[in-house]
Amino acid sequence: MWFSFWRSRERFSLDEFRFLTDQLMKVQVVNEVNKDFVIEALRSIAELITYGDQHDVAYFEFFMEKQVMGEFVRILRISRTVIVSLQLLQTMSIVIQNLKNEHSIYYMFSNEHINHLITYSFDFRNEELLSYYISFLRAISGKLNKNTISLLVKTDNEEVVSFPLYVEAIRFAFHEESMIRTAVRALTLNVYHVGDEAVNKFVARDPHADYFSNLVKFFREQCINLDKLVNASKCMGPDTSGSILSSVDEIEDNLYYFSDVISAGIPDIGRLITDLMLKVLIFPSVLPSLRMEVVKDSDTGIGTATSLYLLCCILRIVKIKDLANIVAAVLLCDIETFVPMSELSEAKLNGFMVNHDMSHENQDSENSGFRSDSDGQSLRVLIPNISSPLNSHPEDDSSQPDHGSTYSALREALLSYITTGDDIQVSGSLSMLATLLQTKELEESMLDALGILPQRKQQKKLLLVCCCRKVIII
């Protein structure tokens, strides 16, 4: 075998391809004696398939005729050494990445060999093997479209019941190695952007929807870690600046990933991410810390400066209309106003309860209501009409409720930070207001209630009111 393998032949030829395949089919077990031959054969076959795809269709016809994919799977099963598994995964990645012919790609995905390789029980304790495996999965995802994705799923009554590529990939979504996390996210985006309705339903329902829940929880831990680094920097000085910048980069990368997921246009996932961001991060950890009287929980709480930064980033990067308007609404109301709808019975606010859905574009000018629905645990915010601008002072209005319990508690806290806070609080609060002004997803009614509606739009609003009054009088 050895002498015949090394005999002189033209490297890129169909004869070479035939010879390598024939020799590979004769291998009964892969061990220390013949592993070098098998590795070199796999590497050469990958080069020949790539060459043939671009120059001569006969190469891929031979690949199909001899069912070389089946031989790859067989070699994996009889291998006794990890290095052969590494080479096989690399070979498959190279072949899939470089195939240009749609017919060739369709053939590669049209049998169960790919799914068998995806679900094979590799020993992922070997970090190099895991890296090659993730690269293999990502290469497959790069060839997905509405035609090829249907070849990698199993369906029952037109409903996807199995999708090994996606399921196996998200197992490593929170791996300690950032390169692996990045590759998994790129793979998921390739899946979401295909736009296959059945696949979209599959990834958005339980148990696979847990991926998004875990993603938001993972993001929350990163936010808490950033806050700890910020607090440590006050004692340790500039030595922590590098760690803070690295943490900030990771947080913003996560937010851009959320934005990319939402841009795929899967409504169920968009609503799920909105609900999770509110329930897991914004309501319990971020917004409460803006209250001046709150003492931060050292384990789960987030400081004021970090919270202001996070809100600015979320509004700037994650373009979700519902999320932006709810965050703005909370600045007008006490956070306890947001309650599960299941707990609402005869709840009233200032003698009335508002019941508008957030999707309504035209809201009553006298009151506003928002709610976010997910799995029956909807949230509703009840907001009365607020005519006082942001720069009004509570001491100027005898009817203004106490600061600690009023619906404008957070709004007044922002004002207090601007007027009496330290440099970081002043900068953070001003950045927050500037971000709100620049958030296109925010309803004008919200900007008006916050007292930061641009003057041009205020004049337009007054003009419309005057015109309406004249029409009524006439």
Side-chain angles (χ1 to χ4, degrees):
M1 179 185 294
W2 286 98
F3 293 106
S4 61
F5 180 73
W6 292 111
R7 71 185 181 185
S8 178
R9 282 184 309 276
E10 185 180 348
R11 183 180 179 187
F12 292 100
S13 67
L14 199 54
D15 286 340
E16 175 74 357
F17 195 5
R18 291 193 183 99
F19 171 77
L20 291 173
T21 303
D22 290 341
Q23 294 301 313
L24 202 62
M25 294 174 70
K26 294 177 182 179
V27 174
Q28 299 302 312
V29 63
V30 182
N31 50 34
E32 293 297 321
V33 176
N34 62 0
K35 69 177 183 180
D36 291 335
F37 162 74
V38 173
I39 290 170
E40 186 60 32
L42 291 172
R43 183 183 295 117
S44 299
I45 287 175
E47 293 176 348
L48 288 165
I49 294 173
T50 302
Y51 173 82
D53 183 68
Q54 299 173 9
H55 296 88
D56 189 347
V57 68
Y59 284 78
F60 205 84
E61 289 177 351
F62 178 79
F63 178 84
M64 293 186 292
E65 178 187 345
K66 291 297 183 178
Q67 298 184 16
V68 179
M69 277 290 294
E71 281 302 306
F72 287 167
V73 173
R74 188 184 69 85
I75 290 295
L76 183 62
R77 287 173 176 168
I78 65 175
S79 176
R80 299 290 185 269
T81 174
V82 173
I83 193 170
V84 172
S85 298
L86 287 170
Q87 183 57 54
L88 181 58
L89 289 173
Q90 185 182 50
T91 295
M92 291 304 305
S93 297
I94 292 172
V95 170
I96 293 171
Q97 285 174 350
N98 290 282
L99 286 179
K100 305 297 182 184
N101 187 288
E102 291 185 9
H103 176 69
S104 301
I105 297 170
Y106 197 84
Y107 171 79
M108 292 288 289
F109 291 177
S110 64
N111 51 58
E112 282 298 305
H113 294 316
I114 286 287
N115 277 340
H116 181 84
L117 292 175
I118 291 172
T119 57
Y120 187 80
S121 299
F122 293 101
D123 184 3
F124 292 125
R125 291 174 295 181
N126 185 310
E127 294 183 2
E128 187 178 11
L129 183 62
L130 176 58
S131 179
Y132 276 80
Y133 176 76
I134 295 298
S135 296
F136 166 60
L137 298 187
R138 185 173 181 178
I140 297 172
S141 74
K143 299 297 183 179
L144 293 180
N145 55 45
K146 288 191 175 182
N147 293 321
T148 57
I149 199 169
S150 62
L151 303 174
L152 299 175
V153 301
K154 291 183 179 179
T155 60
D156 183 14
N157 293 326
E158 298 185 355
E159 183 175 289
V160 175
V161 295
S162 175
F163 188 10
L165 175 67
Y166 182 81
V167 172
E168 295 300 319
I170 62 176
R171 286 175 52 202
F172 304 98
F174 308 102
H175 193 272
E176 59 185 8
E177 176 58 51
S178 62
M179 294 296 289
I180 291 179
R181 296 199 303 269
T182 300
V184 170
R185 291 184 178 186
L187 183 153
T188 59
L189 289 176
N190 287 337
V191 170
Y192 305 149
H193 282 278
V194 168
D196 186 280
E197 186 176 347
V199 172
N200 290 347
K201 291 180 180 179
F202 176 83
V203 301
R205 67 172 182 261
D206 291 335
H208 315 295
D210 288 344
Y211 166 66
F212 302 101
S213 177
N214 294 331
L215 193 66
V216 175
K217 291 176 182 176
F218 179 77
F219 178 66
R220 182 185 64 180
E221 292 304 314
Q222 288 185 315
C223 295
I224 293 172
N225 181 61
L226 172 63
D227 190 61
K228 290 178 179 178
L229 290 173
V230 170
N231 291 332
S233 68
K234 298 175 184 177
C235 303
M236 301 175 64
D239 293 340
T240 59
S241 60
S243 298
I244 291 175
L245 290 175
S246 177
S247 182
V248 165
D249 287 341
E250 288 184 2
I251 284 173
E252 294 194 4
D253 284 345
N254 272 281
L255 289 174
Y256 278 113
Y257 175 65
F258 284 129
S259 179
D260 290 340
V261 171
I262 292 163
S263 70
I266 306 175
D268 289 343
I269 292 180
R271 286 190 291 267
L272 182 60
I273 290 177
T274 299
D275 201 59
L276 288 167
M277 288 287 283
L278 291 169
K279 291 182 178 180
V280 174
L281 176 66
I282 295 177
F283 282 167
S285 300
V286 173
L287 290 173
S289 69
L290 300 183
R291 289 177 171 178
M292 302 190 71
E293 74 276 8
V294 170
V295 177
K296 182 176 75 71
D297 186 310
S298 59
D299 294 326
T300 60
I302 297 176
T304 300
T306 307
S307 292
L308 289 169
Y309 159 75
L310 290 172
L311 283 178
C312 289
C313 283
I314 290 170
L315 292 174
R316 175 171 55 86
I317 297 174
V318 186
K319 305 294 185 180
I320 304 179
K321 186 175 181 180
D322 288 7
L323 184 62
N325 281 279
I326 290 177
V327 169
V330 177
L331 296 178
L332 299 174
C333 353
D334 195 46
I335 198 165
E336 283 78 14
T337 307
F338 290 79
V339 294
M341 289 182 66
S342 59
E343 297 177 8
L344 285 174
S345 55
E346 299 298 326
K348 293 185 178 182
L349 182 62
N350 290 353
F352 64 90
M353 182 173 74
V354 183
N355 186 19
H356 282 320
D357 191 293
M358 190 165 187
S359 61
H360 292 177
E361 293 292 334
N362 299 319
Q363 298 175 9
D364 192 328
S365 61
E366 295 300 321
N367 48 65
S368 303
F370 300 91
R371 68 183 182 181
S372 176
D373 302 317
S374 178
D375 298 329
Q377 294 297 316
S378 302
L379 294 171
R380 180 182 296 170
V381 58
L382 311 176
I383 309 171
N385 180 48
I386 299 174
S387 58
S388 58
L390 181 63
N391 59 2
S392 66
H393 296 278
E395 61 267 23
D396 296 336
D397 187 353
S398 59
S399 63
Q400 184 78 15
D402 293 337
H403 178 79
S405 60
T406 178
Y407 50 74
S408 59
L410 297 181
R411 187 177 67 160
E412 298 303 334
L414 280 180
L415 176 62
S416 298
Y417 290 138
I418 294 172
T419 56
T420 63
D422 56 32
D423 290 346
I424 294 177
Q425 291 172 338
V426 171
S427 176
S429 299
L430 290 175
S431 296
M432 179 66 193
L433 294 175
T435 302
L436 287 169
L437 280 169
Q438 296 169 357
T439 303
K440 296 180 180 180
E441 291 75 27
L442 209 59
E443 298 284 352
E444 283 191 13
S445 59
M446 276 297 172
L447 292 174
D448 192 25
L450 285 166
I452 55 175
L453 184 68
Q455 186 175 7
R456 176 178 56 83
K457 292 185 177 180
Q458 289 182 8
Q459 293 173 346
K460 179 180 178 181
K461 178 184 176 182
L462 291 173
L463 181 62
L464 288 173
V465 170
C466 291
C467 291
C468 288
R469 286 177 179 175
K470 287 181 180 180
V471 170
I472 293 173
I473 292 172
I474 293 174

